[in-house]
């Protein structure tokens, strides 16, 4: 197979993937949980993807984590199968977690603000 034929085939695959419509099925708290969920979906033959919620992508770059969470999206033709898997995931998580942990979004935000102020002061003072 010539390189041009391979390139045309690859472009066709990319076009099919870009034309695919995705739908959000779940919002999780961070990258780690998103990786677990995507692995579970992948093991069941569902191609999923995650994306940052709201301004989470900027927070991810600055602090290495997001305060807003991650959305899990799957192709629209696999939504029902994915949602049934997510019900199993949620019920297992509820059994495992007897006490709900409080959300710690505010302390992360305070640390981020203090860090930014310290950097700005260091630049101004120099």
């Amino acid at each position: 197979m010539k390189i041009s034929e391979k390139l045309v085939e690859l472009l066709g695959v990319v076009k099919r993937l870009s034309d695919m419509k995705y739908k959000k099925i779940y919002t999780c708290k961070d990258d780690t949980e998103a990786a677990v969920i995507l692995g579970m979906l992948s093991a069941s033959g569902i191609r999923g993807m995650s994306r940052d919620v709201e301004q989470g992508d900027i927070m991810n770059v600055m602090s290495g984590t997001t305060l807003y969470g991650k959305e899990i999206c799957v192709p629209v033709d696999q939504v029902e199968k994915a949602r049934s898997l997510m019900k199993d995931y949620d019920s297992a998580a509820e059994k495992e977690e007897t006490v709900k942990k409080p959300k710690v979004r505010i302390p992360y935000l305070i640390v981020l603000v203090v860090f930014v102020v310290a950097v700005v002061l260091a630049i101004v003072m120099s």
Side-chain angles (χ1 to χ4, degrees):
M1 186 181 281
K2 293 182 181 178
I3 293 176
S4 60
E5 291 172 352
K6 287 184 180 182
L7 184 59
V8 168
E9 182 182 336
L10 181 62
L11 289 173
V13 170
V14 170
K15 174 85 171 112
R16 283 193 305 276
L17 289 175
S18 66
D19 288 344
M20 215 180 254
K21 302 287 184 205
Y22 282 80
K23 185 168 178 128
K24 180 184 91 166
I25 60 161
Y26 193 77
T27 302
C28 57
K29 61 183 176 184
D30 57 19
D31 290 326
T32 305
E33 187 178 9
V36 169
I37 292 170
L38 289 173
M40 177 185 69
L41 293 172
S42 177
S44 298
I46 299 172
R47 181 180 318 161
M49 67 175 199
S50 68
R51 62 181 179 201
D52 290 304
V53 177
E54 297 180 21
Q55 302 298 322
D57 50 352
I58 295 171
M59 294 296 297
N60 232 346
V61 169
M62 292 178 63
S63 66
T65 187
T66 178
L67 303 176
Y68 302 105
K70 299 283 251 183
E71 291 179 340
I72 305 296
C73 304
V74 297
V76 288
D77 62 333
Q78 297 178 324
V79 167
E80 293 306 316
K81 183 178 177 184
R83 283 192 175 148
S84 68
L85 286 170
M86 292 311 301
K87 284 180 186 176
D88 295 339
Y89 175 80
D90 278 341
S91 64
E94 285 175 12
K95 289 177 186 175
E96 191 175 296
E97 188 176 298
T98 56
V99 178
K100 282 223 173 221
K101 296 178 184 175
K103 292 183 180 179
V104 288
R105 292 183 178 176
I106 300 298
Y108 282 126
L109 190 56
I110 291 170
V111 168
L112 179 63
V113 168
V114 168
F115 176 74
V116 170
V117 169
V119 169
V120 169
L121 285 174
I123 291 172
V124 170
M125 296 289 197
S126 61

